[in-house]
Amino acid sequence: MDTPGSDEAIARAAADWWTRLREPEPSAQTLARWQAWLDADPRHAQAFEQLNALGELLRTAPAPRRRELLEEFAPRAARARRWPYALAAAAALVLALLGWWGGWSGAGRQAAPQRYASAVGENRDIRLPDGTAVALGAASALTARYGDARRDVELAAGEAYFAVAHEARPFVVDAGPLRIEDLGTAFNVRRTGQRVAVAVTEGRVRLSPAGAAGRLELAAGQQAEYDPRSGALSVSPLPAGHAAAWREHRLEFVNEPLAAVIANVNRYSRRPVQLADPRLGELMFTGTVNTTTIDSWIGALPHVFPVQVSSFADHVVLSSAEH
Amino acid sequence: MEAPDGSDEAAGEGSWLDHAGRVAALYREHHGALVALLQCRLNSRADAQEIAQEVYVRLLAMDHMDHIDSPRAFLFRMATNLSVDYLRKRAVRAGLPPEPEEGDWASAPLPEQHAWAVQQWRKVQAALRELPAKTSRAFVLHVVEGRDFAAIARDMRLSERMVRYHVSNALAHCRERCFAPEMP
């Protein structure tokens, strides 16, 4: 019925592994065979991740939604189980307190710096000790230093989206040459070397570039880009759905040098892309890169830029097209 | 993790650095699969990442792994054990069978996430209506309500194997409806 290697066959195999791994004690042999299956084809891991996303969606959906599904598809069981809301809330509070305790590792007034990093192609969700939610993009690194009076976060590389928990201590992100101070906010920061882009989705932030006296406030629906060569901050409206689109596998670029675009694409690419000629890095790019189909984006580049693509097993080279 | 620099300092420290280097190599190689396994068992990527960290911390705390035949197998065994403990603790805290924290899509950190969740939910609902009643029933009892295969088998008077079969069929079907590549 299914052709081996077809999308449907992969989904069936992935679903079979998924249920096996949810047995109370999967055997060492099962685990080893599952890993061999994962390694056999990158689509296998992708299908498995999709099942994980579905599993998490279904299990953590709001209770009324879950009840609705149970009532439609398993009516008797649904009647048998309804947990009081207060109990769930109490459990959530306990978890939150444990999270706080764990995050501070019992260190009293001064917490040790917490470091977080993600691998190439891996996005991570982080909960900081104050409840601030951080979505960390691939190949990104940040350090949180929380003291009695302030919350400092340093973005060393890559990209992060912050939904900041509101409290008295100021929340400040340092991204190389740019400081971003939260003023009641959710915002995205992308750092590519010394180039920094900030997009605000809620509230406001205050930006202060290093070595400049000027400060700038950025409101929801705006983005700013710091250009290290000119030291200028340029502000523009934020197109709908652009901020943190990377969480949906889309990298959005508006008039950015190809060098910066490639650096960001490489955070998601199994095969890093190299520019043979630095002048190519100066070409300006506007558009969307789907991080799950990077190869086809690279393949299409010669249609829009004077470049040619040479693919190797572990990297890809872009060089100037010869005429 | 840095490799020992070859200077003849305390041999003990050098071998610990070797050990740390091996743990770091294991981490690099297997982190993706380890988090995927844990997320599958815990229904939460955030929890999975936390437990994965704990696995590495425990490995680092060991002096060496010389007595372990397959560090990879050991790593995954430790992760499954920790996930069992974790689910048990989560259950004890709530005083009841494992029940997830109250989800609230409207307060998802990203508007895109909320929209995605609502959209996927509708697709799942539609997909389940296309399946035989037993298949969708086993699926919602296991994945939505969180009951284990044995309990569902008793409830539905089926073997555990059949329950698992129904759940994986429904899951594959939902995945097709939610994620299948669009035909050009």
Side-chain angles (χ1 to χ4, degrees):
Chain A
M1 248 174 46
D2 298 352
T3 327
S6 74
D7 190 62
E8 207 181 331
I10 290 174
R12 287 191 173 281
D16 187 50
W17 282 119
W18 197 82
T19 49
R20 273 173 204 273
L21 296 186
R22 284 166 69 93
E23 300 275 9
E25 304 270 326
S27 69
Q29 197 193 7
T30 301
L31 288 168
R33 281 171 50 218
W34 168 65
Q35 284 166 62
W37 174 80
L38 278 186
D39 291 342
D41 185 331
R43 290 177 299 166
H44 293 175
Q46 197 197 359
F48 195 85
E49 291 289 340
Q50 290 169 338
L51 301 187
N52 271 344
L54 274 181
E56 181 159 356
L57 172 82
L58 289 167
R59 187 70 181 124
T60 59
R65 298 260 187 185
R66 278 186 280 136
R67 220 148 36 220
E68 200 182 290
L69 271 201
L70 286 167
E71 271 161 19
E72 178 171 351
F73 298 104
R76 199 154 45 94
R79 272 200 305 279
R81 299 201 169 214
R82 280 194 188 172
W83 307 122
Y85 178 79
L87 205 53
L93 179 66
V94 171
L95 285 173
L97 286 170
L98 283 169
W100 180 84
W101 178 253
W104 286 71
S105 31
R109 301 167 75 84
Q110 188 105 36
Q114 302 278 319
R115 292 193 177 79
Y116 306 90
S118 55
V120 170
E122 179 214 23
N123 292 342
R124 266 187 78 180
D125 293 321
I126 297 164
R127 183 70 67 171
L128 294 180
D130 60 336
T132 291
V134 182
L136 193 63
S140 303
L142 69 77
T143 304
R145 291 182 187 84
Y146 278 25
D148 286 343
R150 48 188 294 146
R151 297 171 287 170
D152 285 316
V153 172
E154 187 194 345
L155 181 66
E159 184 155 26
Y161 179 88
F162 301 89
V164 180
H166 184 66
E167 60 166 80
R169 290 179 296 171
F171 185 93
V172 175
V173 177
D174 277 310
L178 197 65
R179 165 166 289 192
I180 303 118
E181 195 180 337
D182 163 66
L183 303 169
T185 318
F187 58 94
N188 190 73
V189 182
R190 176 156 77 203
R191 176 171 177 192
T192 318
Q194 300 300 99
R195 171 179 287 273
V196 185
V198 180
V200 181
T201 55
E202 263 174 58
R204 286 174 306 136
V205 297
R206 183 180 296 133
L207 304 177
S208 11
R215 289 161 146 202
L216 181 92
E217 278 195 14
L218 204 62
Q222 289 187 309
Q223 59 186 352
E225 174 124 345
Y226 177 81
D227 183 340
R229 283 172 302 186
S230 61
L233 263 176
S234 52
V235 177
S236 58
L238 177 63
H242 265 213
W246 55 270
R247 296 210 63 191
E248 311 232 275
H249 310 299
R250 295 187 337 267
L251 296 177
E252 303 279 359
F253 300 98
V254 179
N255 214 24
E256 285 197 52
L258 194 56
V261 173
I262 296 291
N264 281 292
V265 166
N266 281 344
R267 292 193 292 110
Y268 289 91
S269 184
R270 282 167 186 272
R271 291 187 300 166
V273 182
Q274 297 164 4
L275 291 171
D277 179 349
R279 281 174 306 172
L280 292 175
E282 308 280 311
L283 295 165
M284 300 308 268
F285 175 81
T286 296
T288 303
V289 183
N290 185 319
T291 55
T292 61
T293 54
I294 288 171
D295 284 348
S296 62
W297 177 76
I298 294 165
L301 276 179
H303 298 296
V304 284
F305 288 127
V307 298
Q308 57 185 18
V309 177
S310 317
S311 287
F312 301 92
D314 58 351
H315 69 291
V316 177
V317 175
L318 293 183
S319 50
S320 301
E322 288 157 32
H323 292 284
Chain B
M1 207 56 68
E2 276 177 43
D5 59 9
S7 65
D8 54 0
E9 287 187 353
E13 194 169 320
S15 64
W16 188 83
L17 284 176
D18 288 346
H19 170 65
R22 272 193 286 272
V23 172
L26 270 178
Y27 180 93
R28 274 195 301 277
E29 201 182 338
H30 300 299
H31 183 69
L34 196 71
V35 171
L37 168 70
L38 287 164
Q39 187 183 358
C40 168
R41 294 174 65 80
L42 303 175
N43 306 304
S44 159
R45 191 162 183 82
D47 290 354
Q49 283 165 337
E50 213 167 282
I51 301 292
Q53 290 292 334
E54 194 177 333
V55 172
Y56 295 115
V57 169
R58 287 187 181 206
L59 283 181
L60 274 176
M62 295 165 49
D63 291 334
H64 56 79
M65 294 189 286
D66 301 347
H67 58 295
I68 295 163
D69 287 340
S70 164
R72 184 182 75 162
F74 183 76
L75 178 79
F76 282 84
R77 169 60 49 207
M78 195 185 239
T80 44
N81 290 345
L82 281 175
S83 70
V84 170
D85 292 349
Y86 186 81
L87 285 172
R88 202 175 293 141
K89 273 185 217 152
R90 203 151 77 174
V92 169
R93 259 179 239 151
L96 285 167
E99 190 65 1
E101 286 177 71
E102 186 74 358
D104 183 1
W105 293 340
S107 71
L110 298 174
E112 291 96 329
Q113 265 179 355
H114 178 217
W116 180 85
V118 172
Q119 196 187 10
Q120 297 297 66
W121 191 266
R122 288 205 193 103
K123 287 182 187 170
V124 166
Q125 209 163 10
L128 290 178
R129 287 185 188 132
E130 295 166 345
L131 290 168
K134 268 186 193 172
T135 306
S136 47
R137 180 183 177 93
F139 179 78
V140 296
L141 287 175
H142 179 67
V143 179
V144 180
E145 201 177 34
R147 295 173 71 182
D148 61 29
F149 296 133
I152 300 169
R154 282 193 300 275
D155 183 61
M156 293 181 65
R157 292 169 195 208
L158 293 170
S159 66
E160 281 185 45
R161 221 182 128 237
M162 275 314 287
V163 172
R164 208 168 61 69
Y165 172 80
H166 284 307
V167 173
S168 53
N169 271 350
L171 188 63
H173 184 67
C174 288
R175 186 263 173 198
E176 282 300 296
R177 290 287 179 264
C178 291
F179 292 105
E182 281 152 45
M183 290 299 142

